[in-house]
Amino acid sequence: TVGAIGYGSYEIYNKRHPLEQKPFDPKKRTVVVLGSGWGAVSFLKSINTDDYNVMVVSPRNYFLFTPLLPSCTVGTIELRSIMEPIRFITQHKTRNVKFYESECTDIDPESKTISITDVSDIKGSVSNTTIPYDYLVMAIGADNQTFGMAGVREYACFLKEVWDAQKIRTRLMDCVESAGFAKQAPEEVDRLLHMVVVGGGPTGVEYAAELHDFLKDDLEVWYPELADKFKITLVEALPNVLPMFSSQLIQYTESTFKQNKIEVLTKTMVKEVADKEIKVMDANKNLVSIPYGLLVWATGNCPRPLTRKLMARVKEAQTSPRGILVDDYMRVAGAPDIYAIGDCTFSKYAPTAQVATQQGLYLASVFENLARMEDGQNKKITPFEYSHQGSLAYIGSDKAIADLPFLNGNVSVGGVATYVFWRSVYISNMFSFRNRFLVVGDWMKSKVFGRDVSR
Ligand code: FAD
Ligand code: NAD
């Protein structure tokens, strides 16, 4: 292989060439994994392929480190720095792992088969097929919650995937350039430069924070004639932002946003979305119009169509509309041999990367124990137990907040030192050394040269 004849770091990177892997063994059980996000990757990293044949089906042939996605919308970090090909993990397994870049469109728990569709723009002669499984691991994440509101999908930008971050960036720069267009009316300039974020959960807050930094550090410098016209508004239906953080950190975030001139409209619910304005029910129950240039929609999760389809097939056991119900061993209620982890499930934990990772790791250990029990060893499968490691969020101006479990209590900290901690935690949790290297490089690059303002 190229790695074997020695190409420096490339050699380290490609340590095991796929050709050295064992082939599929028809005598072994086949585990099909749906997804290439946090849950799936954590499972894949740990599953012992000496015991099973493993196949992965996902419309994305890469893993995405979502915690740094908000930084990509403004160019602090480049998207490719937080992506890693799924084959980077599969090449390190002892047995060849098959990967199909496709979407699973249906699951038949009776015949134990799944239907998959090629999602690439260029297709071969076969683009739909079915695959049998012995065990299925569903880790397909969740969809963006829109509450079925007309206009959201058409006019707003979500923030979940690579293409969402790209779309936000393009729209933002379009707004800025259009605002500077010859003879633009003053009220139209104000509208175009009004960036509205809906949802005061961590996604909305972190996006507003990154946007603030971009406006202050870069756009105001590059576009001095527009500097005093940029405006950010965060709309939240509840009485405060970040309900999962301590009240002290909520107050700290809200006062930081106030200093940074990010307007926070709490107890305000979006009711209608049109192409240039949203209508909100404000705290006094008045219907108010808010014109916007860029609208970012971050109102949480809802089940994907495939999740709903599976739940409908076993509807007697699936009684929650919010996600798949699993038992303490991650088995899907009503569908033996199907396991579900991460955001596609409905559980008592928040839908976070932290939960999905721990569930993936746990499930790989369940499969290991099942294999050892089949070998005749005395093994016991214990229920999944979640261990909360704390919550972190970036709030802008080089400040972050952290709620950390400490000696049976909780420590709430916020500020610049927490930001350094935030960075070090994310860097140490990155998928690969390559990702770490690229992200640190991006941080240095944006400090030295500023963020890139090209469209
Ligand atoms: P995902 O990671 O979303 O992966 C789902 C996978 O399934 C994807 O590969 C997708 O392409 C694939 N898929 C979708 N449909 C199908 C189909 N039909 N067939 C096959 N495959 C399919 N959590 C934290 O703990 N800390 C953070 O700091 C944090 N920051 C975040 C920042 C942002 C901007 C966002 C959006 C989320 C953040 N989260 C964070 C939440 C975290 O990203 C999710 O909880 C986590 O991604 C859930 O993992 P998952 O494996 O269930 O789903
Ligand atoms: P979320 O569910 O945490 O927050 C969505 C917010 O939108 C809620 O506060 C809700 O009240 C508000 N909302 C809903 N409908 C509204 C409407 N019509 N008008 C105004 N406000 C409305 O969603 P999220 O922020 O996308 O996060 C999703 C998951 O990902 C969560 O579990 C979160 O913890 C996790 N996450 C974690 C981090 C982090 O740890 N730093 C970052 C991003 C996401």
Side-chain angles (χ1 to χ4, degrees):
T1 68
V2 177
I5 49 175
Y7 275 87
S9 58
Y10 188 68
E11 188 180 2
I12 303 168
Y13 201 65
N14 265 2
K15 218 168 193 165
R16 186 193 299 279
H17 189 275
L19 289 180
E20 293 165 24
Q21 295 174 316
K22 287 187 257 181
F24 256 49
D25 182 346
K27 294 193 289 301
K28 304 262 178 213
R29 295 225 168 88
T30 298
V31 181
V32 176
V33 181
L34 303 182
S36 53
W38 283 96
V41 156
S42 148
F43 176 80
L44 276 175
K45 273 185 174 171
S46 311
I47 183 77
N48 186 346
T49 48
D50 285 336
D51 297 326
Y52 301 95
N53 298 311
V54 178
M55 254 183 224
V56 185
V57 170
S58 176
R60 268 181 8 199
N61 75 349
Y62 56 88
F63 167 79
L64 177 68
F65 189 83
T66 46
L68 290 178
L69 193 59
S71 303
C72 298
T73 60
V74 294
T76 313
I77 294 174
E78 298 298 332
L79 277 163
R80 294 225 162 246
S81 306
I82 61 165
M83 296 157 70
E84 192 65 80
I86 202 72
R87 286 186 165 85
F88 177 73
I89 323 171
T90 58
Q91 71 170 352
H92 289 96
K93 306 306 284 187
T94 51
R95 188 183 306 283
N96 180 259
V97 173
K98 288 201 174 109
F99 175 77
Y100 298 119
E101 192 184 62
S102 48
E103 188 182 338
C104 173
T105 51
D106 204 1
I107 300 167
D108 184 352
E110 295 285 313
S111 62
K112 293 177 67 167
T113 54
I114 60 167
S115 308
I116 64 167
T117 300
D118 186 352
V119 290
S120 57
D121 291 337
I122 299 166
K123 293 188 177 50
S125 54
V126 178
S127 55
N128 293 296
T129 190
T130 55
I131 301 179
Y133 65 84
D134 294 303
Y135 298 118
L136 184 69
V137 176
M138 259 188 103
I140 64 165
D143 219 336
N144 294 291
Q145 177 65 275
T146 64
F147 308 99
M149 208 180 287
V152 177
R153 287 197 184 275
E154 218 173 335
Y155 306 120
C157 302
F158 299 116
L159 183 49
K160 203 180 248 306
E161 299 285 353
V162 162
W163 49 90
D164 296 328
Q166 281 162 334
K167 184 172 158 186
I168 289 177
R169 186 175 171 76
T170 312
R171 283 220 180 156
L172 174 61
M173 292 319 301
D174 276 350
C175 286
V176 176
E177 294 296 351
S178 296
F181 191 73
K183 299 178 193 160
Q184 199 69 271
E187 60 278 13
E188 192 60 353
V189 173
D190 289 343
R191 177 186 73 79
L192 286 164
L193 297 183
H194 189 197
M195 318 301 170
V196 176
V197 183
V198 183
T203 305
V205 164
E206 290 193 326
Y207 174 66
E210 295 281 354
L211 181 57
H212 160 268
D213 291 1
F214 187 38
L215 297 186
K216 269 273 143 292
D217 300 345
D218 305 277
L219 291 181
E220 290 187 5
V221 180
W222 286 90
Y223 299 83
E225 68 285 9
L226 302 175
D228 58 344
K229 303 211 165 57
F230 290 111
K231 188 177 171 203
I232 307 172
T233 301
L234 180 72
V235 182
E236 168 55 53
L238 296 176
N240 53 262
V241 299
L242 298 176
M244 66 293 290
F245 281 85
S246 67
S247 54
Q248 182 196 335
L249 291 182
I250 290 170
Q251 272 172 24
Y252 182 70
T253 305
E254 290 182 347
S255 73
T256 304
F257 271 24
K258 202 169 177 185
Q259 275 167 21
N260 289 345
K261 299 202 174 64
I262 299 174
E263 189 174 8
V264 180
L265 302 176
T266 51
K267 297 188 192 159
T268 304
M269 186 175 257
V270 177
K271 292 289 183 186
E272 283 172 40
V273 175
D275 59 345
K276 293 181 181 168
E277 62 169 25
I278 53 169
K279 285 212 169 71
V280 301
M281 178 80 78
D282 73 8
N284 302 318
K285 303 274 174 264
N286 297 320
L287 204 59
V288 180
S289 280
I290 303 181
Y292 69 84
L294 172 74
L295 181 66
V296 172
W297 192 266
T299 62
N301 292 343
C302 72
R304 289 193 192 276
L306 179 66
T307 306
R308 291 186 208 277
K309 236 181 195 175
L310 176 67
M311 282 157 47
R313 279 189 182 265
V314 285
K315 58 177 179 289
E316 297 75 28
Q318 292 294 330
T319 48
S320 166
R322 295 173 64 184
I324 299 173
L325 293 175
V326 289
D327 67 11
D328 289 346
Y329 306 89
M330 299 295 131
R331 287 179 303 209
V332 172
D337 306 320
I338 304 184
Y339 296 78
I341 52 177
D343 285 8
C344 64
T345 64
F346 174 60
S347 64
K348 45 188 180 286
Y349 320 111
T352 63
Q354 210 181 136
V355 172
T357 302
Q358 290 185 28
Q359 291 177 337
L361 207 65
Y362 163 80
L363 195 56
S365 75
V366 169
F367 276 79
E368 172 84 28
N369 282 344
L370 285 174
R372 297 294 72 79
M373 280 150 83
E374 284 197 354
D375 294 344
Q377 289 185 26
N378 186 15
K379 288 278 175 191
K380 197 166 167 256
I381 297 174
T382 51
F384 171 72
E385 270 179 51
Y386 173 61
S387 153
H388 187 61
Q389 302 298 307
S391 306
L392 284 165
Y394 181 60
I395 59 167
S397 307
D398 292 349
K399 289 178 187 163
I401 52 169
D403 259 334
L404 304 168
F406 186 70
L407 295 178
N408 296 330
N410 231 25
V411 174
S412 299
V413 281
V416 179
T418 315
Y419 174 57
V420 175
F421 176 69
W422 175 89
R423 279 194 164 189
S424 58
V425 168
Y426 282 3
I427 276 293
S428 60
N429 278 306
M430 293 225 65
F431 191 81
S432 64
F433 174 71
R434 191 188 73 104
N435 283 152
R436 273 180 214 127
F437 185 84
L438 292 175
V439 167
V440 171
D442 289 345
W443 277 334
M444 284 163 60
K445 198 172 67 182
S446 56
K447 263 279 169 265
V448 176
F449 301 107
R451 298 171 189 86
D452 182 1
V453 294
S454 42
R455 183 172 177 273

